[in-house]
Amino acid sequence: MKFLNNLTFGQYVPADSPVHSLDPRCKILAVPVVLTGIFMAGHVAAFAAWAGLLAALAWYSRLPFRLVLNSAKPVLILVAFTALIHIFFTDGTPILKLGFVTITREGVAAAAQMGLRLLLLVLFASFLTLTTKPMELSDGLERLFSPLVRFGFPAHELAMMMTIALRFIPTLLTETDRIMKAQLARGASFDRGSLWKRLKAFIPVLIPLFVIVFQRAEELATAMEARCYRGGEGRTRMRPLRWSGRDTAALAATVAVVVALAAGERSLLP
Amino acid sequence: MKTDARTVCELRDVTYVYPSGASGRAALSGVSLEVREGEWLALLGSNGSGKSTLARHLNALLIPTQGDCIVYGMSTRDPANVFAVRSAVSMVFQNPENQIVGTVVDEDAAFGPENQGLPPAEIESRVERALEAAGLLAKRAKPTYTLSGGEKQRLAVAGALAMDAPCLVLDEPTAMLDPRGRADLLAIMRALHDGGKTIVHITHRLEEILWCDRAVVLAGGRIEWEGGVEPLLRQDGALRKWGLDAPPLVALWRELGEETGLALPRIPTLEGMIDALCPLQ
């Protein structure tokens, strides 16, 4: 039995698609552009258009639509919470009165708008991790932030930390699993009692985990040094990123779509 | 082993005291040792004998407190030499899990050559050769966490090989592997030795040194014994004193040789012993 096998991180899904083969920098830059576009959407028709684009992007990336939708699961609670707050705390024309709470027409509209907006934001952003290998992602970030290096920004260090963190997540999950099993064998229980009790039962898991992490970090640092690591300076890459015309075109198309949708909504819809 | 072979690494009267060591006891005291080109040197000793400390001197991870460590004529004491020293002597450590940096097999093997600043095409071809030698070419696109313990250790060897260093130092590389993983790794080491690599193999398992050219025994931070593998295996009492237990096959070989005078192989490999004993039926 494994306790933690349902956790998925950096859920890259390999596929042979035009989106997968784009330069990671193009995809990273496209994310804020798309997010801005979604934030500007307000009308039902605009949301419908964005939902249509989402489906089109999933098809173009050769990813099953269900899998894309699944990536929003972890934030559903947040979406529901945001929607509820807007339902109950927006002033306007009352449509329903339940004791001291009043639900207004504006409240329902705002809840739907914010809920959809958040959902679309997460779904579009998830394409970045779904279609980009973790190493490419950190490479892309390193290259994008490299102009800031002259101002002392640790672009390489951050990218390396991200790579190592991703590399060690499965290892640490296995380790946590092992510690939990060892403690279960000695009578610990992690799934009984109040939430507080269960949290407290987790402290004896965290302490050995921290010790192990620090030991591993020390050994990994030695191994990296032995392999001639001395930071980003003078380092080359086996597969250097190449920005092609396709990337420029994809980014330009993204900007054009966002501008067109926003302009269309402003001018055509009341 | 050629006697006129070039010296790869040389320790000259090296003493090392860990800076954080509360006891102030030297982990190595007055150690002098030469590693010759193309040899497979076994470095033996029980836990705490100083063998890992010695290994880390060969790669400039540790600098002698006293004495000198010379690698291909370069002193490890000079910071300007460290990069060249590490490019000439690469290391594989005990725990395969803690030396893998990349999330994908070939990306990890590329880490060393990338640090060496090589052009992409050169890195690609080195990684391919290294993965081939380590028997991992078929798994080059797999995430590293899907590998078995033995495969991870072979990946660590591939990472070291990709740096194209003429000398490879392995610090108890088999300690955390199952018998199958151990056998695979030893086979790779034999192939590398046959291909001309200089290998320093740190271990406390006598069955792993049967194919070595030379053995050095460390105890309490000092070199206690230095010589061929065969005379070492004959030292029954001394081996026990150094905390090295002879495996059953070695014990049988020694006892039979002493008691019966049978014609036994010079080195008690399983194949050699079968060849010598089976015809007796």
Side-chain angles (χ1 to χ4, degrees), chain B residues 226-247:
Chain B
E226 197 177 343
V229 171
E230 186 197 349
L232 175 68
L233 294 179
R234 297 210 185 272
Q235 313 248 333
D236 186 28
L239 284 177
R240 235 173 279 163
K241 194 184 82 193
W242 297 324
L244 301 167
D245 274 333

PDB file of all heavy atoms in Angstrom, chain B residues 226-247:
ATOM      1  N   GLU B 226      49.820  -2.839   1.617  1.00  0.00           N
ATOM      2  CA  GLU B 226      49.789  -2.434   0.219  1.00  0.00           C
ATOM      3  C   GLU B 226      50.424  -3.551  -0.586  1.00  0.00           C
ATOM      4  O   GLU B 226      51.498  -4.032  -0.214  1.00  0.00           O
ATOM      5  CB  GLU B 226      50.593  -1.136   0.055  1.00  0.00           C
ATOM      6  CG  GLU B 226      50.316  -0.399  -1.217  1.00  0.00           C
ATOM      7  CD  GLU B 226      51.078   0.925  -1.300  1.00  0.00           C
ATOM      8  OE1 GLU B 226      51.556   1.420  -0.251  1.00  0.00           O
ATOM      9  OE2 GLU B 226      51.203   1.445  -2.414  1.00  0.00           O
ATOM     10  N   GLY B 227      49.761  -4.014  -1.630  1.00  0.00           N
ATOM     11  CA  GLY B 227      50.349  -5.079  -2.431  1.00  0.00           C
ATOM     12  C   GLY B 227      49.337  -5.717  -3.359  1.00  0.00           C
ATOM     13  O   GLY B 227      48.267  -5.164  -3.594  1.00  0.00           O
ATOM     14  N   GLY B 228      49.674  -6.918  -3.835  1.00  0.00           N
ATOM     15  CA  GLY B 228      48.796  -7.613  -4.767  1.00  0.00           C
ATOM     16  C   GLY B 228      47.573  -8.179  -4.059  1.00  0.00           C
ATOM     17  O   GLY B 228      47.541  -8.278  -2.829  1.00  0.00           O
ATOM     18  N   VAL B 229      46.571  -8.556  -4.841  1.00  0.00           N
ATOM     19  CA  VAL B 229      45.330  -9.060  -4.264  1.00  0.00           C
ATOM     20  C   VAL B 229      45.555 -10.445  -3.641  1.00  0.00           C
ATOM     21  O   VAL B 229      45.068 -10.730  -2.543  1.00  0.00           O
ATOM     22  CB  VAL B 229      44.228  -9.125  -5.350  1.00  0.00           C
ATOM     23  CG1 VAL B 229      43.004  -9.844  -4.831  1.00  0.00           C
ATOM     24  CG2 VAL B 229      43.879  -7.713  -5.802  1.00  0.00           C
ATOM     25  N   GLU B 230      46.329 -11.296  -4.329  1.00  0.00           N
ATOM     26  CA  GLU B 230      46.514 -12.666  -3.838  1.00  0.00           C
ATOM     27  C   GLU B 230      47.163 -12.712  -2.450  1.00  0.00           C
ATOM     28  O   GLU B 230      46.602 -13.325  -1.547  1.00  0.00           O
ATOM     29  CB  GLU B 230      47.327 -13.466  -4.857  1.00  0.00           C
ATOM     30  CG  GLU B 230      47.433 -14.925  -4.475  1.00  0.00           C
ATOM     31  CD  GLU B 230      48.550 -15.641  -5.220  1.00  0.00           C
ATOM     32  OE1 GLU B 230      49.103 -15.064  -6.176  1.00  0.00           O
ATOM     33  OE2 GLU B 230      48.871 -16.767  -4.826  1.00  0.00           O
ATOM     34  N   PRO B 231      48.302 -12.029  -2.258  1.00  0.00           N
ATOM     35  CA  PRO B 231      48.885 -12.065  -0.908  1.00  0.00           C
ATOM     36  C   PRO B 231      47.947 -11.482   0.147  1.00  0.00           C
ATOM     37  O   PRO B 231      47.935 -11.966   1.285  1.00  0.00           O
ATOM     38  CB  PRO B 231      50.154 -11.228  -1.035  1.00  0.00           C
ATOM     39  CG  PRO B 231      50.198 -10.669  -2.400  1.00  0.00           C
ATOM     40  CD  PRO B 231      49.178 -11.362  -3.224  1.00  0.00           C
ATOM     41  N   LEU B 232      47.140 -10.500  -0.225  1.00  0.00           N
ATOM     42  CA  LEU B 232      46.214  -9.919   0.748  1.00  0.00           C
ATOM     43  C   LEU B 232      45.205 -10.964   1.207  1.00  0.00           C
ATOM     44  O   LEU B 232      44.932 -11.102   2.410  1.00  0.00           O
ATOM     45  CB  LEU B 232      45.486  -8.715   0.140  1.00  0.00           C
ATOM     46  CG  LEU B 232      44.398  -8.116   1.049  1.00  0.00           C
ATOM     47  CD1 LEU B 232      45.025  -7.465   2.275  1.00  0.00           C
ATOM     48  CD2 LEU B 232      43.535  -7.110   0.306  1.00  0.00           C
ATOM     49  N   LEU B 233      44.675 -11.718   0.255  1.00  0.00           N
ATOM     50  CA  LEU B 233      43.636 -12.692   0.597  1.00  0.00           C
ATOM     51  C   LEU B 233      44.191 -13.808   1.476  1.00  0.00           C
ATOM     52  O   LEU B 233      43.444 -14.499   2.157  1.00  0.00           O
ATOM     53  CB  LEU B 233      43.031 -13.278  -0.686  1.00  0.00           C
ATOM     54  CG  LEU B 233      42.251 -12.280  -1.555  1.00  0.00           C
ATOM     55  CD1 LEU B 233      41.733 -12.971  -2.809  1.00  0.00           C
ATOM     56  CD2 LEU B 233      41.100 -11.642  -0.799  1.00  0.00           C
ATOM     57  N   ARG B 234      45.508 -13.997   1.465  1.00  0.00           N
ATOM     58  CA  ARG B 234      46.108 -15.055   2.287  1.00  0.00           C
ATOM     59  C   ARG B 234      46.309 -14.624   3.744  1.00  0.00           C
ATOM     60  O   ARG B 234      46.621 -15.429   4.592  1.00  0.00           O
ATOM     61  CB  ARG B 234      47.450 -15.492   1.693  1.00  0.00           C
ATOM     62  CG  ARG B 234      47.303 -16.104   0.318  1.00  0.00           C
ATOM     63  CD  ARG B 234      48.365 -17.138   0.033  1.00  0.00           C
ATOM     64  NE  ARG B 234      48.259 -17.630  -1.337  1.00  0.00           N
ATOM     65  CZ  ARG B 234      47.486 -18.655  -1.699  1.00  0.00           C
ATOM     66  NH1 ARG B 234      46.779 -19.301  -0.794  1.00  0.00           N
ATOM     67  NH2 ARG B 234      47.441 -19.031  -2.963  1.00  0.00           N
ATOM     68  N   GLN B 235      46.148 -13.324   3.994  1.00  0.00           N
ATOM     69  CA  GLN B 235      46.386 -12.799   5.351  1.00  0.00           C
ATOM     70  C   GLN B 235      45.152 -12.987   6.223  1.00  0.00           C
ATOM     71  O   GLN B 235      44.440 -12.046   6.490  1.00  0.00           O
ATOM     72  CB  GLN B 235      46.661 -11.303   5.291  1.00  0.00           C
ATOM     73  CG  GLN B 235      47.634 -10.871   4.247  1.00  0.00           C
ATOM     74  CD  GLN B 235      48.893 -10.365   4.867  1.00  0.00           C
ATOM     75  OE1 GLN B 235      48.877  -9.880   5.996  1.00  0.00           O
ATOM     76  NE2 GLN B 235      49.994 -10.511   4.185  1.00  0.00           N
ATOM     77  N   ASP B 236      44.942 -14.166   6.708  1.00  0.00           N
ATOM     78  CA  ASP B 236      43.697 -14.434   7.426  1.00  0.00           C
ATOM     79  C   ASP B 236      43.548 -13.596   8.696  1.00  0.00           C
ATOM     80  O   ASP B 236      42.609 -12.826   8.859  1.00  0.00           O
ATOM     81  CB  ASP B 236      43.627 -15.917   7.747  1.00  0.00           C
ATOM     82  CG  ASP B 236      42.285 -16.268   8.353  1.00  0.00           C
ATOM     83  OD1 ASP B 236      41.313 -15.567   8.039  1.00  0.00           O
ATOM     84  OD2 ASP B 236      42.230 -17.223   9.129  1.00  0.00           O
ATOM     85  N   GLY B 237      44.512 -13.720   9.579  1.00  0.00           N
ATOM     86  CA  GLY B 237      44.415 -13.032  10.869  1.00  0.00           C
ATOM     87  C   GLY B 237      44.377 -11.522  10.711  1.00  0.00           C
ATOM     88  O   GLY B 237      43.569 -10.836  11.334  1.00  0.00           O
ATOM     89  N   ALA B 238      45.244 -11.021   9.846  1.00  0.00           N
ATOM     90  CA  ALA B 238      45.332  -9.578   9.660  1.00  0.00           C
ATOM     91  C   ALA B 238      44.036  -9.026   9.084  1.00  0.00           C
ATOM     92  O   ALA B 238      43.551  -7.972   9.499  1.00  0.00           O
ATOM     93  CB  ALA B 238      46.507  -9.247   8.746  1.00  0.00           C
ATOM     94  N   LEU B 239      43.449  -9.759   8.136  1.00  0.00           N
ATOM     95  CA  LEU B 239      42.184  -9.304   7.543  1.00  0.00           C
ATOM     96  C   LEU B 239      41.142  -9.096   8.626  1.00  0.00           C
ATOM     97  O   LEU B 239      40.424  -8.109   8.641  1.00  0.00           O
ATOM     98  CB  LEU B 239      41.666 -10.331   6.526  1.00  0.00           C
ATOM     99  CG  LEU B 239      42.357 -10.367   5.171  1.00  0.00           C
ATOM    100  CD1 LEU B 239      41.782 -11.486   4.312  1.00  0.00           C
ATOM    101  CD2 LEU B 239      42.203  -9.038   4.453  1.00  0.00           C
ATOM    102  N   ARG B 240      41.085 -10.072   9.543  1.00  0.00           N
ATOM    103  CA  ARG B 240      40.097  -9.971  10.613  1.00  0.00           C
ATOM    104  C   ARG B 240      40.392  -8.763  11.505  1.00  0.00           C
ATOM    105  O   ARG B 240      39.489  -8.074  11.950  1.00  0.00           O
ATOM    106  CB  ARG B 240      40.080 -11.268  11.424  1.00  0.00           C
ATOM    107  CG  ARG B 240      38.670 -11.856  11.467  1.00  0.00           C
ATOM    108  CD  ARG B 240      38.656 -13.198  12.095  1.00  0.00           C
ATOM    109  NE  ARG B 240      39.058 -14.221  11.125  1.00  0.00           N
ATOM    110  CZ  ARG B 240      39.458 -15.443  11.484  1.00  0.00           C
ATOM    111  NH1 ARG B 240      39.537 -15.765  12.766  1.00  0.00           N
ATOM    112  NH2 ARG B 240      39.769 -16.327  10.568  1.00  0.00           N
ATOM    113  N   LYS B 241      41.666  -8.527  11.739  1.00  0.00           N
ATOM    114  CA  LYS B 241      42.056  -7.379  12.562  1.00  0.00           C
ATOM    115  C   LYS B 241      41.620  -6.070  11.905  1.00  0.00           C
ATOM    116  O   LYS B 241      41.206  -5.125  12.569  1.00  0.00           O
ATOM    117  CB  LYS B 241      43.583  -7.404  12.753  1.00  0.00           C
ATOM    118  CG  LYS B 241      44.081  -6.473  13.843  1.00  0.00           C
ATOM    119  CD  LYS B 241      45.598  -6.487  13.912  1.00  0.00           C
ATOM    120  CE  LYS B 241      46.189  -5.560  12.854  1.00  0.00           C
ATOM    121  NZ  LYS B 241      47.637  -5.737  12.659  1.00  0.00           N
ATOM    122  N   TRP B 242      41.679  -6.019  10.585  1.00  0.00           N
ATOM    123  CA  TRP B 242      41.293  -4.799   9.866  1.00  0.00           C
ATOM    124  C   TRP B 242      39.780  -4.702   9.660  1.00  0.00           C
ATOM    125  O   TRP B 242      39.289  -3.775   9.017  1.00  0.00           O
ATOM    126  CB  TRP B 242      41.971  -4.768   8.487  1.00  0.00           C
ATOM    127  CG  TRP B 242      43.460  -4.720   8.569  1.00  0.00           C
ATOM    128  CD1 TRP B 242      44.211  -4.063   9.499  1.00  0.00           C
ATOM    129  CD2 TRP B 242      44.387  -5.357   7.691  1.00  0.00           C
ATOM    130  NE1 TRP B 242      45.555  -4.254   9.260  1.00  0.00           N
ATOM    131  CE2 TRP B 242      45.687  -5.050   8.149  1.00  0.00           C
ATOM    132  CE3 TRP B 242      44.261  -6.170   6.559  1.00  0.00           C
ATOM    133  CZ2 TRP B 242      46.840  -5.517   7.519  1.00  0.00           C
ATOM    134  CZ3 TRP B 242      45.399  -6.628   5.931  1.00  0.00           C
ATOM    135  CH2 TRP B 242      46.678  -6.300   6.415  1.00  0.00           C
ATOM    136  N   GLY B 243      39.051  -5.685  10.159  1.00  0.00           N
ATOM    137  CA  GLY B 243      37.590  -5.657  10.012  1.00  0.00           C
ATOM    138  C   GLY B 243      37.122  -6.089   8.637  1.00  0.00           C
ATOM    139  O   GLY B 243      36.044  -5.713   8.196  1.00  0.00           O
ATOM    140  N   LEU B 244      37.951  -6.869   7.941  1.00  0.00           N
ATOM    141  CA  LEU B 244      37.562  -7.344   6.603  1.00  0.00           C
ATOM    142  C   LEU B 244      37.346  -8.848   6.677  1.00  0.00           C
ATOM    143  O   LEU B 244      38.276  -9.584   6.990  1.00  0.00           O
ATOM    144  CB  LEU B 244      38.663  -7.028   5.590  1.00  0.00           C
ATOM    145  CG  LEU B 244      39.010  -5.547   5.441  1.00  0.00           C
ATOM    146  CD1 LEU B 244      40.321  -5.395   4.670  1.00  0.00           C
ATOM    147  CD2 LEU B 244      37.885  -4.813   4.729  1.00  0.00           C
ATOM    148  N   ASP B 245      36.137  -9.294   6.419  1.00  0.00           N
ATOM    149  CA  ASP B 245      35.854 -10.712   6.505  1.00  0.00           C
ATOM    150  C   ASP B 245      35.981 -11.380   5.154  1.00  0.00           C
ATOM    151  O   ASP B 245      35.446 -10.889   4.162  1.00  0.00           O
ATOM    152  CB  ASP B 245      34.436 -10.946   7.049  1.00  0.00           C
ATOM    153  CG  ASP B 245      34.439 -10.942   8.567  1.00  0.00           C
ATOM    154  OD1 ASP B 245      35.499 -11.287   9.132  1.00  0.00           O
ATOM    155  OD2 ASP B 245      33.423 -10.564   9.160  1.00  0.00           O
ATOM    156  N   ALA B 246      36.684 -12.502   5.137  1.00  0.00           N
ATOM    157  CA  ALA B 246      36.832 -13.214   3.880  1.00  0.00           C
ATOM    158  C   ALA B 246      35.518 -13.922   3.553  1.00  0.00           C
ATOM    159  O   ALA B 246      34.953 -14.588   4.416  1.00  0.00           O
ATOM    160  CB  ALA B 246      37.965 -14.234   3.997  1.00  0.00           C
ATOM    161  N   PRO B 247      35.014 -13.770   2.317  1.00  0.00           N
ATOM    162  CA  PRO B 247      33.807 -14.505   1.935  1.00  0.00           C
ATOM    163  C   PRO B 247      34.104 -16.009   1.889  1.00  0.00           C
ATOM    164  O   PRO B 247      35.269 -16.393   1.783  1.00  0.00           O
ATOM    165  CB  PRO B 247      33.477 -13.960   0.548  1.00  0.00           C
ATOM    166  CG  PRO B 247      34.711 -13.323   0.058  1.00  0.00           C
ATOM    167  CD  PRO B 247      35.523 -12.931   1.243  1.00  0.00           C
TER     168      PRO B 247
END
